[in-house]
Amino acid sequence: MAGLYLHIPFCKSKCAYCNFFSVVSERQRSDFLEALKKEAVARKDYLGGDEVRTVYFGGGTPSLLMPSEIKEILDVLRQNYKIIDNPEITLEANPDTVSKESLLEYKSVGVNRLSVGIQSFFDDDLQYLSRKHDSKHARQVLEWSQEVGFQEVTMDLIYGIPTLTDEKWQKNLEIFFSTGINHLSAYALTVEEKTALGQRIRKGAAAPVDEEATIRHYEILTQQAESHGFEHYEISNFARPGHYSRHNTIYWKGEKYLGLGPSAHSFDGVSRQWNVAGVKDYCDNYSFEREELTPDDRYNEYIMTSLRTMWGVDADYLRESFGEKYAKRFKKSSEKYILSGKMFQKGEKYILNSTGMLFADGIASELFNC
Ligand code: SF4
């Protein structure tokens, strides 16, 4: 089983904290759509004939594409890939780019999961992030998505924003849990140097992130999620049982995926490949870079992604895939995290608890084989 990711690189404007590849000019929109379909046909053998169970339109802002354009892309995918009967088809949507009518149309062309970039229900937080929508519109879009009958909806929220007090964060979560939506992605605000926000903070024109507040928000989040029956199934992802993102789970479980579009990444089980970033370069002169993964690379990636999930690291899998030596070394190195209460063991599975997940990247790098 495998997944398809499509990177739609257009945005109405650039959010101050954004580090994704996106452009605000849509001048090359039709060239891009042609190039994307061409790439989909040209790379149809990349997944080795595996069945495709998920299609994910990410970006950028995929909801800037019209439903008819999404349909044309899906038609090309259906003609060239073995897509299963009931695939998960996700569209990322920004509140300022959709209407009730367009949501209905996306649904009618096959989109069955909506990922809405809410970030906060407070206007001052949205202004800090320089998002284009306001809180009223955010609530409206969630209502529409339910009224038009999307069964699977997920929402993005950001915590650790300097304008976000503990009370406001609590309120954001209360609003989320009152919607009846089954999935939440909640990210800590991270500020990259090169972003507009990074520069504003450096010049003293914007408040910096308070690490202690971010940790408090994370603790509030994990407590609230648990009390509402949500599983903390990945460091930034929470769902009612059975409502996990099928697409992102492909990444976290190390399965194959093909990424189409500028800057999109692909993984075929033994190598990683990433497309040129730049809409013009992508359209005029498609190219990519490729890296063959050594057993150590694959081991390290498995440790990194698995520790971020509630499924944890499976020592049996380590033994089968990498050999007894790797499994033994992992088990020995994990002991200190079990003793310190950040990790627990369930049979041959080694799993970080919510506190441990907060340190997942640091713990993973100490467990790397390098
Ligand atoms: S809408 Fe998303 S991809 Fe576009 S600039 Fe904002 S954060 Fe980045």
Side-chain angles (χ1 to χ4, degrees):
M1 289 284 191
L4 289 171
Y5 172 82
L6 297 103
H7 191 78
I8 311 300
F10 306 111
C11 287
K12 268 174 127 179
S13 62
K14 193 78 187 168
C15 303
Y17 62 99
C18 179
N19 200 29
F20 298 114
F21 171 67
S22 68
V23 294
V24 290
S25 163
E26 287 189 52
R27 220 176 36 235
Q28 289 196 291
R29 180 186 179 119
S30 61
D31 289 349
F32 162 75
L33 288 169
E34 283 317 303
L36 187 68
K37 289 179 227 167
K38 219 166 106 189
E39 191 195 356
V41 176
R43 297 181 71 194
K44 66 180 179 184
D45 296 327
Y46 182 86
L47 296 170
D50 285 12
E51 287 192 313
V52 170
R53 63 177 162 160
T54 64
V55 177
Y56 192 101
F57 290 90
T61 307
S63 51
L64 283 176
L65 294 191
M66 291 185 293
S68 58
E69 293 169 323
I70 295 288
K71 179 181 182 306
E72 282 171 25
I73 297 168
L74 286 172
D75 286 346
V76 172
L77 299 181
R78 286 196 184 100
Q79 286 154 16
N80 290 280
Y81 295 85
K82 276 195 224 158
I83 299 184
I84 61 166
D85 281 347
N86 185 21
E88 176 188 87
I89 303 182
T90 304
L91 180 87
E92 287 182 355
N94 279 345
D96 54 322
T97 59
V98 292
S99 62
K100 188 170 175 183
E101 291 68 35
S102 69
L103 291 181
L104 196 53
E105 286 180 54
Y106 287 128
K107 187 163 178 278
S108 74
V109 302
V111 174
N112 54 21
R113 184 170 184 270
L114 208 61
S115 171
V116 191
I118 299 288
Q119 320 311 351
S120 175
F121 291 101
F122 292 94
D123 288 341
D124 55 343
D125 302 331
L126 294 170
Q127 281 154 14
Y128 180 92
L129 299 171
S130 67
R131 298 290 302 195
K132 284 294 149 204
H133 64 277
D134 61 23
S135 56
K136 199 167 142 217
H137 203 176
R139 288 181 190 239
Q140 179 72 85
V141 169
L142 294 176
E143 273 173 35
W144 289 338
S145 66
Q146 291 173 311
E147 282 167 18
V148 306
F150 276 104
Q151 300 290 319
E152 297 297 335
V153 178
T154 177
M155 174 199 300
D156 285 356
L157 288 176
I158 296 180
Y159 58 91
I161 307 169
T163 48
L164 183 71
T165 60
D166 293 2
E167 293 69 30
K168 284 167 68 192
W169 177 232
Q170 189 87 35
K171 186 71 189 164
N172 273 343
L173 293 171
E174 266 172 39
I175 297 171
F176 167 75
F177 290 116
S178 73
T179 61
I181 290 174
N182 291 321
H183 190 282
L184 170 68
S185 296
Y187 302 99
L189 178 63
T190 48
V191 181
E192 302 289 341
E193 277 274 318
K194 284 186 193 145
T195 60
L197 183 58
Q199 288 170 19
R200 266 191 235 155
I201 291 174
R202 206 173 53 244
K203 287 180 191 154
V209 170
D210 174 349
E211 303 261 325
E212 284 179 17
T214 302
I215 292 171
R216 281 201 310 278
H217 291 177
Y218 175 83
E219 284 163 356
I220 293 170
L221 168 67
T222 54
Q223 284 156 12
Q224 285 288 309
E226 192 181 351
S227 70
H228 285 86
F230 275 62
E231 288 179 311
H232 186 186
Y233 76 104
E234 195 269 347
I235 188 164
S236 306
N237 286 278
F238 302 79
R240 289 209 170 89
H243 292 276
Y244 317 125
S245 161
R246 283 158 65 190
H247 183 79
N248 288 339
T249 303
I250 284 176
Y251 302 148
W252 301 323
K253 292 206 166 176
E255 293 167 16
K256 290 184 197 174
Y257 57 89
L258 168 62
L260 303 171
S263 81
H265 285 227
S266 306
F267 175 62
D268 64 2
V270 289
S271 70
R272 293 208 173 276
Q273 188 168 317
W274 53 101
N275 284 353
V276 61
V279 180
K280 188 162 174 12
D281 285 345
Y282 174 73
C283 295
D284 297 351
N285 187 21
Y286 167 73
S287 64
F288 59 85
E289 288 183 64
R290 184 184 160 93
E291 181 190 15
E292 296 291 329
L293 300 179
T294 64
D296 279 354
D297 292 335
R298 287 194 291 112
Y299 170 86
N300 292 347
E301 287 197 11
Y302 174 74
I303 299 296
M304 174 69 99
T305 48
S306 303
L307 281 181
R308 295 170 67 98
T309 73
M310 70 174 189
W311 300 290
V313 170
D314 183 346
D316 284 335
Y317 175 84
L318 290 181
R319 202 169 290 115
E320 283 158 25
S321 306
F322 303 100
E324 184 63 37
K325 205 172 85 186
Y326 282 77
K328 260 193 178 159
R329 193 181 312 139
F330 172 82
K331 285 173 129 180
K332 176 120 195 60
S333 310
S334 297
E335 280 167 10
K336 68 174 176 181
Y337 301 109
I338 294 175
L339 285 173
S340 68
K342 294 189 179 78
M343 185 186 272
F344 62 96
Q345 192 182 347
K346 209 172 167 186
E348 282 300 275
K349 305 265 172 60
Y350 291 73
I351 304 164
L352 292 179
N353 57 25
S354 281
T355 309
M357 273 195 202
L358 197 52
F359 306 98
D361 290 351
I363 294 175
S365 60
E366 288 196 32
L367 294 170
F368 281 172
N369 205 28
C370 39

